[in-house]
Amino acid sequence: MYKIDLISRTLTPTSSALHSQMDGMFIAEDGTMYVGLMGESGTSAGYQAFNTNTENWGQGSLIAGLPSNIVRDFLEVDNHVLIATNGGIGMYNLTKDGWDSPITSYNGLPSPIIEHLMLLDLSLIHISEPTRLRRIS
């Protein structure tokens, strides 16, 4: 996001948001601007607050669910069904019958594209990416 100074005719970038795919905004009476975040490769959709007085981003909130609509594999582990996608790993919680936050490159995956999920023992999950095999716990 950029700040435009109409008097000096300058364009200045703001500090970094959760990610750059923004769509829609709402400015509250206190000057807080809420910006919609579209899901992109490796991140989920959600929103983030921008303080227009300090020109800083606040805490954001990403929506739990599938990080991509391109699904490649499924794996059931304990009370979760893990779903491999082109944007990370979706986490469906069977106990609460709803979504937990996905695992994406935003919170630790080295690559957003997950092709296969494998469980070789109860503590290690192996994931295959386009160029390598990795282990997560």
Side-chain angles (χ1 to χ4, degrees):
M1 188 165 77
Y2 288 86
K3 173 184 171 182
I4 301 172
D5 187 326
L6 297 175
I7 295 171
S8 66
R9 298 179 182 257
T10 57
L11 186 67
T12 310
T14 64
S15 58
S16 296
L18 286 176
H19 63 75
S20 62
Q21 295 296 313
M22 299 176 192
D23 183 36
M25 69 178 75
F26 170 76
I27 299 178
E29 289 182 18
D30 66 358
T32 302
M33 180 170 54
Y34 295 93
V35 178
L37 302 173
M38 299 183 299
E40 67 174 339
S41 180
T43 62
S44 296
Y47 77 91
Q48 190 168 11
F50 182 77
N51 185 319
T52 57
N53 296 317
T54 64
E55 297 182 2
N56 288 312
W57 289 100
Q59 289 292 92
S61 178
L62 298 179
I63 299 169
L66 283 179
S68 168
N69 62 353
I70 300 174
V71 174
R72 297 179 164 273
D73 199 9
F74 295 89
L75 177 66
E76 186 174 347
V77 179
D78 297 326
N79 63 334
H80 282 91
V81 175
L82 282 61
I83 301 114
T85 75
N86 275 9
I89 301 172
M91 302 278 294
Y92 190 80
N93 188 319
L94 296 169
T95 303
K96 71 178 188 182
D97 197 25
W99 294 99
D100 285 341
S101 294
I103 303 169
T104 67
S105 59
Y106 173 71
N107 55 4
L109 282 181
S111 169
I113 299 172
I114 307 301
E115 295 179 338
H116 299 287
L117 299 165
M118 296 159 274
L119 183 66
L120 299 181
D121 63 44
L122 294 179
S123 63
L124 296 174
I125 298 169
H126 290 72
I127 59 174
S128 74
E129 300 169 340
T131 59
R132 65 188 138 226
L133 180 66
R134 292 192 182 266
R135 161 178 72 179
I136 61 175
S137 56

